[in-house]
Amino acid sequence: MVRITEELLRQRAEHNNCELFSLEEISLHQQEIEKLEYIDKLCRDLKILYLQNNLIPKIENVSKLKKLEYLNLALNNIERIENLEGCEELQKLDLTANFIGELSSIEILKHNIHLKELFLCLDSKEIERSERIQALQNYQQVEKQIRDQEQVYVLKRAREKEEALKKIQEKKEKKEKQIKPKPGFDGRWYTDINNINLDPLEDKENHQQKETEKEYQEWKIDNDDDEDRAFWEEPTPFTPESRLEAHRHLEEKRRVKENIRGQKMKEKPPRTLITAEGKVLNMNEPKLNFFLKDDEENNQFILDLAVYRHLDSSLIDVDVQPTHLRVMVKDKPFQLVLPAEVKPDSSSAKRSQTTGHLVISMPKVQEIIMANRKTPALVEPSDSHKLQTNIKRERVEKLEVDPSKYSFPDVANIIQEKERTGQGPINFQQQKVIDTENSYVDFEDNQDVPPLI
């Protein structure tokens, strides 16, 4: 049973900074409220009150709302109009789809002199002046018919209430005599609060007992489905009791499903990010696209993780370790084992403002000598004529001490020009280093060839 409380009223008064003393409009529709209370004490300045689609059986505790102009009580279980005399400013009253059988109770509305709109049926037609005159002329005759109908209605409602109580009692007894669970399960579980029993056989029995409990829950779900089908197929009169019973049935079904869902969540095994042997596992629970780049030029790894663009950065947690990294995205882990060891203290993480991607830079621990670094290399003689020519040129350059004392042509340059006639200017030093490095890759040392002088 949902009750109207101060906390509920403040929650529904967010548009008024949760203040009640100055509140003029509040909506309490579809809250499964079963009693109208406390509103006239906490919200005295109300002008508009929405209470449609609840389970309210009686109009009460609103007579002190002197400023109330619009009251919506459609789709409830109200059977008579009452307790509205104090609503002096009431202009509109909606009682559509209720169970008002005592039509004579409408006389109470003569005290609401400002009332302009009254909804009791689904036609919503405006009453013309000629209809008012005709109603006054036939009032005495119609009033007698209404009184007679009310007496029949009162007797009918008494029988319906008695039958409803009898039906509820029968269902309660039937539920108590329902089929018991499968053999081996008595519906009771025992807990050893002192931890006295440490027998592994007993642990096995407890495990079997839990399995039996799980089977019982599955059986209960199937059985409830059959009962649910039978409940909705059974013909029932449209009364406040039947509407309340349908609500109770739906509420019970919802509670059972929530309990089963909660048990499944408890049974969910914990995540295993690192095994008992210390092995780090790759995991992508948030199911994000990613790209790991080996940036050799800067000696680092770069991870591009496609995080959701509109996700708040406060929901992302980055943890870089020497051999792996872990990113928690809304408590879901993304874990990746790295190809080489990195420096966690020198790592950095950045977020793209346009795409939302998370970019993590992780410098490697080991320094790597780049292939484009120009370092002098000593190459031993080989069978390759081209390699010998390059080595001779290198040695000739190293023996030149003072070109001003010795005047002779540069033979190496002359030969180079003949070989590359028509190919443009030559940067000899750059060509020498490149040829040496390229030749060094396929170099094989032959011990039978004497060294060059």
Side-chain angles (χ1 to χ4, degrees):
M1 178 178 177
V2 178
R3 304 289 295 269
I4 297 178
T5 61
E6 181 179 351
E7 181 181 1
L8 175 62
L9 294 174
R10 291 192 185 278
Q11 289 177 355
R12 307 300 294 180
E14 293 179 347
H15 59 284
N16 198 48
N17 296 324
C18 299
E19 295 179 356
L20 299 181
F21 70 93
S22 61
L23 186 65
E24 295 185 353
E25 178 179 343
I26 191 170
S27 179
L28 297 171
H29 66 286
Q30 294 182 339
Q31 296 292 311
E32 300 178 356
I33 298 171
E34 297 186 25
K35 187 175 182 180
L36 193 53
E37 54 188 346
Y38 300 125
I39 296 180
D40 58 343
K41 296 179 180 179
L42 300 174
C43 310
R44 289 293 186 89
D45 288 345
L46 271 182
K47 293 183 178 180
I48 300 175
L49 176 56
Y50 296 100
L51 286 164
Q52 66 269 27
N53 203 356
N54 282 293
L55 299 167
I56 301 172
K58 183 178 181 180
I59 304 176
E60 56 185 339
N61 298 319
V62 293
S63 59
K64 295 181 181 179
L65 300 178
K66 302 297 182 180
K67 300 180 181 180
L68 188 64
E69 298 177 359
Y70 176 31
L71 176 60
N72 192 332
L73 284 166
L75 289 167
N76 277 280
N77 291 345
I78 298 172
E79 298 191 54
R80 62 178 287 120
I81 304 173
E82 56 188 339
N83 300 322
L84 291 174
E85 300 91 335
C87 301
E88 300 173 356
E89 298 295 327
L90 187 63
Q91 300 177 16
K92 183 176 180 180
L93 176 61
D94 194 341
L95 292 169
T96 305
N98 277 275
F99 297 91
I100 299 177
E102 299 182 31
L103 292 180
S104 61
S105 63
I106 200 172
E107 290 180 344
I108 200 70
L109 296 178
K110 64 184 180 182
H111 300 286
N112 305 100
I113 58 176
H114 298 290
L115 185 64
K116 296 180 180 179
E117 298 180 67
L118 174 63
F119 295 88
L120 284 174
C121 309
L122 298 175
D123 50 16
S124 299
K125 293 182 179 179
E126 184 178 358
I127 299 176
E128 298 179 356
R129 187 171 182 274
S130 59
E131 293 175 325
R132 294 174 185 272
I133 296 174
Q134 186 178 358
L136 287 173
Q137 293 174 348
N138 301 329
Y139 178 73
Q140 293 182 352
Q141 181 181 356
V142 172
E143 183 184 16
K144 185 177 182 303
Q145 294 177 356
I146 291 175
R147 298 291 182 183
D148 294 339
Q149 291 177 359
E150 283 184 356
Q151 292 180 1
V152 175
Y153 171 78
V154 170
L155 295 175
K156 179 183 177 183
R157 287 293 297 132
R159 289 195 302 268
E160 289 175 348
K161 290 179 182 180
E162 184 179 354
E163 291 176 359
L165 290 174
K166 184 178 178 181
K167 187 177 181 181
I168 293 174
Q169 185 65 26
E170 289 177 353
K171 285 191 174 182
K172 184 178 179 180
E173 294 176 355
K174 183 180 178 181
K175 201 168 186 179
E176 292 176 353
K177 297 178 181 179
Q178 273 184 339
I179 301 174
K180 296 297 180 183
K182 295 183 179 180
F185 174 67
D186 60 357
R188 296 173 294 175
W189 288 266
Y190 301 93
T191 304
D192 184 12
I193 59 174
N194 297 319
N195 291 327
I196 299 174
N197 298 320
L198 301 176
D199 190 355
L201 294 176
E202 185 169 351
D203 292 339
K204 185 176 180 180
E205 291 178 358
N206 292 334
H207 177 72
Q208 292 176 352
Q209 196 172 23
K210 290 181 180 179
E211 291 296 326
T212 307
E213 177 187 356
K214 186 176 180 181
E215 293 178 2
Y216 171 68
Q217 292 291 344
E218 293 176 354
W219 168 85
K220 192 173 186 301
I221 293 173
D222 296 338
N223 191 48
D224 287 345
D225 290 339
D226 295 337
E227 290 183 358
D228 184 65
R229 192 180 302 108
F231 176 83
W232 294 112
E233 290 178 354
E234 181 183 2
T236 54
F238 183 63
T239 62
E241 291 76 22
S242 63
R243 186 168 183 262
L244 191 60
E245 184 184 6
H247 167 73
R248 295 275 189 267
H249 180 78
L250 293 174
E251 182 67 18
E252 185 178 357
K253 292 288 292 183
R254 182 182 63 83
R255 193 182 302 111
V256 170
K257 289 182 179 179
E258 287 181 355
N259 292 337
I260 296 173
R261 191 182 300 113
Q263 291 178 1
K264 289 183 178 180
M265 291 180 64
K266 291 180 181 178
E267 294 174 359
K268 186 177 180 180
R271 301 188 187 103
T272 303
L273 300 176
I274 301 177
T275 63
E277 295 79 13
K279 181 180 179 182
V280 181
L281 303 178
N282 289 325
M283 182 174 293
N284 188 1
E285 190 170 315
K287 298 180 181 180
L288 300 174
N289 296 327
F290 68 95
F291 176 72
L292 182 65
K293 177 183 178 183
D294 188 354
D295 186 5
E296 295 183 352
E297 183 177 354
N298 297 311
N299 193 32
Q300 64 179 352
F301 292 117
I302 299 177
L303 174 69
D304 186 343
L305 188 61
V307 179
Y308 315 116
R309 179 178 179 182
H310 301 290
L311 182 66
D312 197 309
S313 297
S314 62
L315 301 175
I316 304 174
D317 184 25
V318 181
D319 181 18
V320 179
Q321 297 295 328
T323 58
H324 69 278
L325 72 101
R326 183 183 304 159
V327 181
M328 300 297 293
V329 182
K330 295 180 66 176
D331 295 330
K332 295 182 179 180
F334 171 88
Q335 185 166 279
L336 183 66
V337 179
L338 300 174
E341 191 173 353
V342 299
K343 302 176 182 178
D345 296 338
S346 303
S347 301
S348 63
K350 297 180 180 180
R351 186 91 184 274
S352 173
Q353 294 183 352
T354 55
T355 63
H357 285 207
L358 180 68
V359 180
I360 306 174
S361 303
M362 298 164 285
K364 300 178 184 177
V365 172
Q366 296 180 351
E367 294 290 341
I368 299 177
I369 300 176
M370 305 307 298
N372 58 357
R373 295 181 182 177
K374 300 179 181 180
T375 56
L378 297 177
V379 183
E380 296 294 333
S382 66
D383 296 335
S384 174
H385 175 71
K386 184 176 180 180
L387 181 60
Q388 290 179 2
T389 305
N390 291 336
I391 294 175
K392 286 181 181 180
R393 295 173 186 167
E394 182 177 1
R395 292 184 182 276
V396 168
E397 289 181 349
K398 289 182 178 179
L399 291 174
E400 290 178 359
V401 180
D402 189 0
S404 62
K405 295 182 179 180
Y406 301 93
S407 177
F408 53 86
D410 189 351
V411 181
N413 289 339
I414 295 174
I415 296 174
Q416 186 69 16
E417 290 181 24
K418 289 183 179 180
E419 293 178 356
R420 298 177 58 89
T421 302
Q423 297 183 15
I426 298 174
N427 187 341
F428 174 74
Q429 192 69 16
Q430 181 180 3
Q431 183 66 28
K432 176 192 67 176
V433 175
I434 294 174
D435 291 345
T436 302
E437 292 181 353
N438 294 337
S439 301
Y440 183 74
V441 176
D442 302 327
F443 169 70
E444 295 182 3
D445 189 10
N446 192 339
Q447 300 295 335
D448 298 332
V449 179
L452 298 177
I453 298 176

